[in-house]
Amino acid sequence: MDDLERAIIVSFDQTGAVDSVLKSQAINFCQQIKDAPTICRLCVEKLRFCQIVQVQFWCLQTLHEAIRVKYSLMSSEEKDLVRKSVFSIACCDEESGGILAGPIFIKNKLAQVIVTLIYFEYPLIWSSVFFDFLAHLSKGGAVIDMFCRVLNALDDELISLDYPRSNEEVAVAAQVKDAMRQQCVPQIVRACYDILSMYRNSDSKICATVLDTLRRYISWIDIGLIANAVFLPFLFELMLFDGISEQFRGAAAGCMLAVVSKRMDPQSKLSLLKNVQISRVFGLVSDDSSSELASRVASLLTGYAVEVLECSKRLTEETKRTSFELLDEVLPSVFYVMQNCEVDTAFSIVQFFSGYVSAMKSLSLLTEKRLYHVSQILEVIRSQIRYDPMYRDNLDTLDKIGREEEGRMVEYRKDFFVLLRSIGRVAPDITQAFIRNSLDAAVTSSGGNIEEVEAALSLLYALGESLSEETIRSGRGLLSDLVPMLLASRFACHSNRIVALVYLDTIARYAKFVQENSQYIPMLLAAFLDERGIHHPNINVGRRASYLFMRVVKSLKSNLVPFIETILQSLQDTVAQFTNVDYSSKALSGTEDGTHIFEAIGILIGMEDVPLEKQSGYLSSLLTPLCHQVEGLLLNSETLTIEEAPGKIATIQQVIMAINALSKGFSERLVTASRPAIGLMFKRTLDVLLQILVVYPKIEPLRSKVMSFIHRMVDTLGASVFPYLPKALEQLLAEIEPKEMVSFLVLLNQIICKFNNLAHDVLEEVFPAIAGRIFSIIPREAITSGPGANTEEIREIQELQQTLYTFLYDIVTHDLSSVFLSPKSRHYLDQVMHLLLYTACNHKDILMRKACVQIFIRLIKDWCSRPHEEKVPGFQKFMIEVFATNCCLYSVLDRSFEFRDANTLILFGEIVLAQKIMYEKFGDDFLLNFLSKVFLTTHCPQHLVEQYCQKLQGGDIKSLKSSYRSLIENLRHQQNGSLVFR
């Protein structure tokens, strides 16, 4: 063993026994040898005589790199030496170093070296490479195996389109394929046939290898070389002969799949598919569906079916019949495969059946056989959407594994449900009958298989998505049987979470049927109110049932009036439990927080169909205990221990949420006009809940819940809420945190938009405090941007600023601008004006800038109603000298003001309108200032100034806008004066 061989062995060491310094030295030594000019000759010599595997691999790898990188620099003698040497080794000549008897990775690396030579030398230099190999195949299995490895490597490294290729590689691949077609492909195919015939009874492994190699090439060689009277029957003979290995038979099936998948014109393809006589292999999948052979034959059958279907899409109506006959023949086996075998991942069940159902739409009549196929497709859908029983406990408790599996199945099922709805449109009766039978089987099943029941219910739920509201309401087709069966169902596995949830979703989807068939209302109510729904042992199911029940109540409304007392009686324990400390501590995420049951009750008892006396009684029985509960909790607040406080606060939150949800069912008209006694009950409730702000002034969750209730009361009580607002707003403002200010402004915006100038006094009272608080939080100018600026604090300030502009906009657009002029508010007027001005000129949000300009326009109209009248001292001067100059000119001159942007154009229109209104209100004071102090300093061309004045004094705003844009663009272009582009 020489130094190089020792260095190679050390460099390849993976045991960790070799010193790292020594290993690094060995690697460097090997690299130095690689760089030597005689490296190819050295590698060839080592390959001939050295038996050490690491050395053989290093030499082949080095040769591969040398040819790939330095081929153009190699001498012709060196190329000739490498070519002859590696080919000699591949053909098992003497002095081959025993490589063909060595490990697989050595033989694969040798094949890679030969393919690299083919890349550079075939067909111009080494044109005989394939014939050279064919001449040596008689030496036996080792050379045949090596030839197959070379062909496989050629496919992997150059020909196959499964890998990304450079343009050069694509061109070389085309050249190699063209040369092979002209020169040697028939001979290679013939050699394969001869090898298979010779070795079929003696060496199944080499035969399987040959077939797997041939399969790769069928897609681009002349199909007639395989699809002929000799080779095709031979492949079937191999598949059907049980005296050879499954691997050999499976390889034959793989070749046959390549044949039927061959791209060609549809008419020729149809003839080929017909001649294949695929029915001969149907029996192979039923013998042992888990075997390798069954898996390969399954892929053949599904591939054949896909090709027939694709072919039918491109055929004339006359020839389509043949393709459908072929499909009719193969589909039973395809159905069997899908139910019992492992299907190739390349085959899309949904895509295939969607194509088949789509093709059926073109048929005028569905035969009995095709209707049977439809039912089989439905069977496949049902089997595919079933949950795996191994996840049963995970899904019921919804642990991490259960959540992942549920999420995966939601995505996986989507396409199957789309397919189901397509079938429902093509064959509605078959679809509904199938679902009815599935449901019936699920109901009558003594074991109550959870996955079967869930799948049957999911099918019915998914079908409902494609049915119109009218179809469901009238119970068209078999729905008149299905829905009552569903409502009456009580499954043995109803306690399971996934079964209970899909059952509730499904009855909610079909609840419209009950609207027209009121005799089923008791059954519908029972399903929601008993242990299948709201009283289900799983709290998640119960709350989901509450939400769905609320939706059903909304849709049925007056139909349920006769059942109100029954419903309320059934819900007594649920209502009482909701504000229980233990219950309120069970925080559940999402929108299903349990309050929907109160919303449902509110909708029921809030209808005018309910007599006043009963309505008052129902509402009082709900509000009175809830209010007493709050009063009791507030009474003992000072004596609460640290351990007790969180539970009590959580309970108060629950009570507020319950009352809030309950009030949603009562309209403003009912509580203020037709039945004021109801309104009085809500006012008393509001009084009680406002005490929470006094007792717990700093508990943010409680403040938030009370604010939400005030929102609700503004909508419900209308103007009669005004006496309560000053106290409520004062208490909210007293301890308000910066992040709460957004919610507070939203409440004020609601009050402004609902009551307009009636809100003046309330607003005048709170505005100074709001302004003082906000101006202490938000910066006067731009909020920091760039790296590190996307913090939660900055995002909160940005949201507050945006809400503030909406608030100011609502004030001025609802005739409330006089609020700014009250004695207490005037102190902040200058800050408000400068903030609005800065935003109108500089804010990155164009729509925000537009809103600020609109605010200024409205203030001009409000505070300067008559020319030369100064309602607000200094305002006119501010608008003429500051706003006009900075907003109407400088901000528009800035190159960031992009006229090609649609929103910017809208902003520009508002700026032009502001100028028009300033001229109308301020007259020549505005115009002379704008001309003398602005246009003259920019050296604006005289004719543009005159044109602007003319348009400004005219009545056409569109013409003024066009003129001013031309003026601005001219100034930008000329870049005149000292005021160019700040």
Side-chain angles (χ1 to χ4, degrees):
M1 187 184 297
D2 60 22
D3 289 345
L4 175 60
E5 290 169 356
R6 279 192 289 272
I8 291 170
I9 291 170
V10 169
S11 68
F12 276 115
D13 180 75
Q14 299 296 323
T15 63
V18 176
D19 179 70
S20 60
V21 176
L22 179 62
K23 186 172 183 178
S24 178
Q25 291 173 345
I27 291 170
N28 290 335
F29 179 74
C30 291
Q31 188 60 45
Q32 290 173 5
I33 299 294
K34 271 187 183 181
D35 295 335
T38 58
I39 185 61
C40 289
R41 185 174 296 279
L42 176 64
C43 287
V44 166
E45 289 299 315
K46 292 288 182 190
L47 287 170
R48 281 178 177 165
F49 303 111
C50 186
Q51 303 288 327
I52 302 170
V53 171
Q54 293 97 319
V55 175
Q56 290 176 343
F57 183 81
W58 185 88
C59 290
L60 288 169
Q61 188 178 47
T62 302
L63 279 177
H64 177 246
E65 289 175 8
I67 298 167
R68 187 170 56 84
V69 177
K70 302 176 182 177
Y71 182 81
S72 61
L73 302 175
M74 294 168 66
S75 66
S76 57
E77 293 80 7
E78 195 174 17
K79 293 174 186 174
D80 193 51
L81 172 69
V82 172
R83 185 187 315 118
K84 287 180 179 177
S85 300
V86 295
F87 182 74
S88 173
I89 294 168
C91 290
C92 211
D93 286 348
E94 294 179 7
E95 299 179 342
S96 65
I99 283 179
L100 296 196
I104 289 172
F105 67 89
I106 295 290
K107 290 184 276 190
N108 286 342
K109 183 55 75 173
L110 175 59
Q112 196 177 30
V113 172
I114 294 171
V115 166
T116 309
L117 284 169
I118 291 172
Y119 181 93
F120 289 107
E121 299 189 344
Y122 183 80
L124 299 178
I125 299 171
W126 193 8
S127 59
S128 63
V129 55
F130 297 106
F131 285 118
D132 293 346
F133 264 112
L134 290 174
H136 288 80
L137 295 182
S138 57
K139 291 182 178 178
V143 179
I144 294 170
D145 175 76
M146 195 64 230
F147 182 47
C148 288
R149 290 182 191 280
V150 170
L151 290 175
N152 291 348
L154 181 63
D155 184 57
D156 288 337
E157 301 286 326
L158 186 61
I159 295 173
S160 174
L161 297 176
D162 292 341
Y163 310 98
R165 308 288 186 196
S166 67
N167 291 337
E168 181 188 341
E169 288 171 333
V170 171
V172 173
Q175 179 180 291
V176 168
K177 288 196 291 185
D178 288 344
M180 288 182 71
R181 286 191 194 99
Q182 292 175 12
Q183 186 193 53
C184 59
V185 165
Q187 290 85 340
I188 292 174
V189 173
R190 179 69 206 189
C192 291
Y193 181 82
D194 291 341
I195 292 167
L196 293 169
S197 301
M198 183 182 298
Y199 289 92
R200 60 182 292 183
N201 296 319
S202 58
D203 194 341
S204 286
K205 187 176 180 182
I206 199 66
C207 289
T209 301
V210 169
L211 284 170
D212 281 334
T213 300
L214 183 61
R215 170 186 55 79
R216 292 169 173 253
Y217 285 75
I218 289 174
S219 65
W220 58 270
I221 66 174
D222 178 8
I223 193 62
L225 296 170
I226 309 293
N228 54 49
V230 177
F231 215 131
L232 211 57
F234 184 52
L235 289 175
F236 272 103
E237 183 185 334
L238 294 175
M239 276 190 281
L240 295 167
F241 181 43
D242 58 7
I244 57 178
S245 71
E246 282 201 355
Q247 184 188 8
F248 186 4
R249 296 168 74 187
C255 268
M256 185 58 68
L257 176 58
V259 170
V260 300
S261 302
K262 175 82 172 178
R263 301 292 94 190
M264 60 181 75
D265 73 87
Q267 197 59 57
S268 302
K269 183 65 168 279
L270 186 63
S271 299
L272 171 64
L273 295 170
K274 192 175 179 181
N275 292 334
V276 163
Q277 298 178 357
I278 198 72
S279 59
R280 288 180 280 179
V281 298
F282 288 168
L284 294 178
V285 290
S286 59
D287 293 342
D288 181 4
S289 58
S290 62
S291 68
E292 182 187 348
L293 174 62
S295 177
R296 297 292 291 268
V297 175
S299 297
L300 169 59
L301 293 173
T302 53
Y304 176 90
V306 167
E307 293 301 323
V308 174
L309 182 61
E310 284 300 311
C311 202
S312 72
K313 295 176 184 177
R314 297 178 288 153
L315 292 169
T316 62
E317 290 300 321
E318 294 179 9
T319 50
K320 266 188 180 179
R321 189 187 312 150
T322 304
S323 64
F324 271 99
E325 287 171 358
L326 294 177
L327 273 174
D328 289 342
E329 181 184 39
V330 74
L331 276 176
S333 294
V334 171
F335 291 131
Y336 180 86
V337 162
M338 289 178 188
Q339 300 277 25
N340 299 282
C341 303
E342 191 172 323
V343 180
D344 186 358
T345 52
F347 174 72
S348 170
I349 296 172
V350 173
Q351 191 175 342
F352 172 70
F353 283 136
S354 296
Y356 180 69
V357 172
S358 180
M360 287 177 71
K361 291 176 184 176
S362 64
L363 302 177
S364 56
L365 183 67
L366 295 182
T367 63
E368 190 174 331
K369 181 181 280 187
R370 281 167 198 154
L371 289 173
Y372 173 72
H373 289 162
V374 167
S375 67
Q376 289 298 294
I377 295 173
L378 292 168
E379 192 63 59
V380 170
I381 293 173
R382 184 173 64 177
S383 70
Q384 290 292 324
I385 67 165
R386 272 200 302 261
Y387 278 102
D388 190 326
M390 69 178 286
Y391 296 109
R392 186 178 294 177
D393 292 338
N394 305 103
L395 288 162
D396 195 33
T397 57
L398 205 62
D399 57 16
K400 183 175 182 291
I401 295 171
R403 282 193 298 273
E404 288 174 357
E405 178 62 10
E406 191 169 59
R408 186 192 71 80
M409 282 296 280
V410 166
E411 284 302 310
Y412 179 70
R413 286 173 158 190
K414 282 179 181 175
D415 290 336
F416 284 101
F417 287 151
V418 170
L419 173 59
L420 171 72
R421 291 190 286 271
S422 296
I423 296 171
R425 285 187 284 270
V426 172
D429 293 342
I430 293 287
T431 307
Q432 291 181 25
F434 177 83
I435 293 174
R436 182 187 61 185
N437 294 337
S438 300
L439 195 60
D440 193 41
V443 171
T444 55
S445 170
S446 57
N449 184 298
I450 289 169
E451 291 73 30
E452 289 286 350
V453 172
E454 195 277 340
L457 290 168
S458 294
L459 288 174
L460 181 55
Y461 176 80
L463 178 68
E465 256 184 66
S466 63
L467 301 177
S468 68
E469 200 173 287
E470 178 55 35
T471 301
I472 293 175
R473 189 182 285 115
S474 62
R476 213 170 288 163
L478 295 175
L479 288 180
S480 56
D481 295 335
L482 264 172
V483 178
M485 180 195 295
L486 178 70
L487 294 173
S489 298
R490 288 178 179 272
F491 305 106
C493 56
H494 224 124
S495 60
N496 184 274
R497 188 188 69 87
I498 60 170
V499 170
L501 287 176
V502 72
Y503 176 76
L504 292 165
D505 280 326
T506 308
I507 60 174
R509 171 154 281 177
Y510 289 94
K512 288 284 183 187
F513 171 80
V514 178
Q515 202 168 18
E516 294 291 316
N517 300 272
S518 56
Q519 69 270 31
Y520 296 112
I521 288 179
M523 294 171 70
L524 177 69
L525 293 176
F528 275 111
L529 298 174
D530 63 22
E531 70 284 351
R532 290 172 290 173
I534 291 167
H535 288 93
H536 195 279
N538 185 310
I539 190 172
N540 292 278
V541 175
R543 290 191 172 183
R544 177 67 178 169
S546 298
Y547 166 70
L548 293 171
F549 181 62
M550 179 271 296
R551 279 177 44 191
V552 168
V553 168
K554 269 186 179 178
S555 66
L556 297 181
K557 278 190 176 177
S558 57
N559 300 65
L560 298 178
V561 170
F563 303 93
I564 288 177
E565 293 203 12
T566 306
I567 293 169
L568 292 179
Q569 198 170 353
S570 298
L571 294 174
Q572 271 183 344
D573 57 338
T574 308
V575 167
Q577 186 187 38
F578 182 77
T579 53
N580 177 285
V581 175
D582 294 334
Y583 184 82
S584 62
S585 64
K586 295 176 183 175
L588 293 179
S589 60
T591 56
E592 289 163 22
D593 54 15
T595 59
H596 292 106
I597 201 64
F598 287 89
E599 188 174 348
I601 292 171
I603 294 166
L604 280 171
I605 67 175
M607 289 184 282
E608 294 203 32
D609 302 286
V610 181
L612 173 58
E613 189 179 336
K614 284 194 170 186
Q615 192 172 57
S616 299
Y618 296 146
L619 185 59
S620 178
S621 68
L622 289 158
L623 288 180
T624 302
L626 290 172
C627 288
H628 285 164
Q629 191 174 6
V630 171
E631 287 169 333
L633 290 166
L634 294 179
L635 202 61
N636 304 319
S637 60
E638 293 178 3
T639 60
L640 285 182
T641 64
I642 295 173
E643 292 78 17
E644 290 174 328
K648 302 286 186 183
I649 290 168
T651 303
I652 295 173
Q653 278 184 255
Q654 293 291 107
V655 173
I656 302 170
M657 289 162 61
I659 296 171
N660 201 348
L662 185 68
S663 68
K664 290 180 183 179
F666 293 83
S667 68
E668 181 182 346
R669 195 180 69 81
L670 182 136
V671 302
T672 58
S674 60
R675 297 180 181 180
I678 301 294
L680 186 61
M681 294 169 74
F682 279 115
K683 288 174 189 175
R684 288 175 188 153
T685 304
L686 179 58
D687 253 335
V688 171
L689 297 190
L690 288 178
Q691 289 303 307
I692 295 169
L693 298 175
V694 177
V695 177
Y696 293 108
K698 295 183 179 181
I699 307 296
E700 194 277 329
L702 290 180
R703 292 167 57 83
S704 172
K705 293 292 184 293
V706 173
M707 197 183 301
S708 177
F709 184 63
I710 296 169
H711 269 291
R712 173 56 49 197
M713 290 300 98
V714 168
D715 273 343
T716 306
L717 297 175
S720 63
V721 79
F722 270 119
Y724 300 87
L725 289 179
K727 178 185 172 185
L729 297 176
E730 179 189 347
Q731 289 169 339
L732 286 170
L733 263 175
E735 301 289 343
I736 199 162
E737 293 291 327
K739 61 182 179 182
E740 287 181 88
M741 187 60 80
V742 170
S743 301
F744 186 76
L745 290 179
V746 170
L747 173 60
L748 288 175
N749 288 342
Q750 181 198 13
I751 293 168
I752 292 167
C753 294
K754 185 169 181 67
F755 302 117
N756 298 308
N757 54 11
L758 292 177
H760 180 275
D761 292 346
V762 170
L763 199 58
E764 186 174 85
E765 191 64 33
V766 297
F767 184 80
I770 293 170
R773 191 65 56 88
I774 288 177
F775 283 121
S776 69
I777 299 169
I778 65 172
R780 302 278 177 96
E781 296 185 349
I783 295 173
T784 308
S785 59
N790 194 27
T791 64
E792 186 178 352
E793 184 182 358
I794 288 175
R795 285 195 299 272
E796 285 177 1
I797 291 173
Q798 287 172 334
E799 186 184 8
L800 175 57
Q801 193 181 57
Q802 188 169 351
T803 312
L804 171 64
Y805 295 132
T806 305
F807 174 58
L808 296 174
Y809 181 85
D810 286 342
I811 287 175
V812 300
T813 54
H814 289 82
D815 299 321
L816 292 166
S817 62
S818 58
V819 166
F820 299 140
L821 306 180
S822 69
K824 291 180 182 178
S825 300
R826 258 213 145 94
H827 172 70
Y828 298 102
L829 184 58
D830 187 59
Q831 286 175 275
V832 170
M833 291 296 107
H834 280 92
L835 180 66
L836 289 171
L837 175 67
Y838 184 86
T839 306
C841 296
N842 304 292
H843 205 286
K844 63 181 180 181
D845 187 338
I846 295 295
L847 296 178
M848 203 77 75
R849 290 170 68 174
K850 182 194 78 169
C852 290
V853 173
Q854 288 173 327
I855 291 171
F856 278 118
I857 291 172
R858 188 58 191 247
L859 290 177
I860 296 169
K861 292 178 178 179
D862 285 357
W863 294 348
C864 309
S865 54
R866 289 193 295 273
H868 310 297
E869 177 193 34
E870 184 138 52
K871 194 173 181 180
V872 182
F875 177 70
Q876 179 172 324
K877 184 179 180 183
F878 173 82
M879 295 303 297
I880 291 172
E881 295 183 3
V882 183
F883 175 80
T885 305
N886 288 281
C887 183
C888 297
L889 185 70
Y890 292 172
S891 74
V892 183
L893 273 176
D894 197 295
R895 289 198 182 277
S896 65
F897 198 93
E898 180 54 73
F899 283 108
R900 287 175 295 183
D901 175 66
N903 286 330
T904 305
L905 272 180
I906 295 171
L907 169 61
F908 182 70
E910 294 297 329
I911 289 172
V912 171
L913 178 61
Q915 295 172 51
K916 179 71 174 169
I917 291 172
M918 280 193 285
Y919 177 70
E920 290 173 357
K921 300 296 183 182
F922 308 145
D924 289 341
D925 289 347
F926 160 72
L927 184 58
L928 292 173
N929 185 80
F930 207 48
L931 295 180
S932 63
K933 293 190 177 179
V934 180
F935 287 155
L936 293 180
T937 54
T938 59
H939 306 291
C940 183
Q942 187 62 33
H943 73 281
L944 290 177
V945 174
E946 291 173 359
Q947 187 185 63
Y948 169 76
C949 292
Q950 181 187 349
K951 301 295 182 185
L952 184 67
Q953 292 163 347
D956 187 355
I957 190 71
K958 188 176 180 182
S959 179
L960 173 61
K961 184 177 173 182
S962 176
S963 171
Y964 192 56
R965 178 172 174 177
S966 300
L967 186 147
I968 293 297
E969 288 174 340
N970 186 279
L971 287 176
R972 282 185 180 182
H973 181 69
Q974 291 190 41
Q975 299 188 16
N976 290 327
S978 59
L979 298 175
V980 175
F981 313 133
R982 297 167 299 153

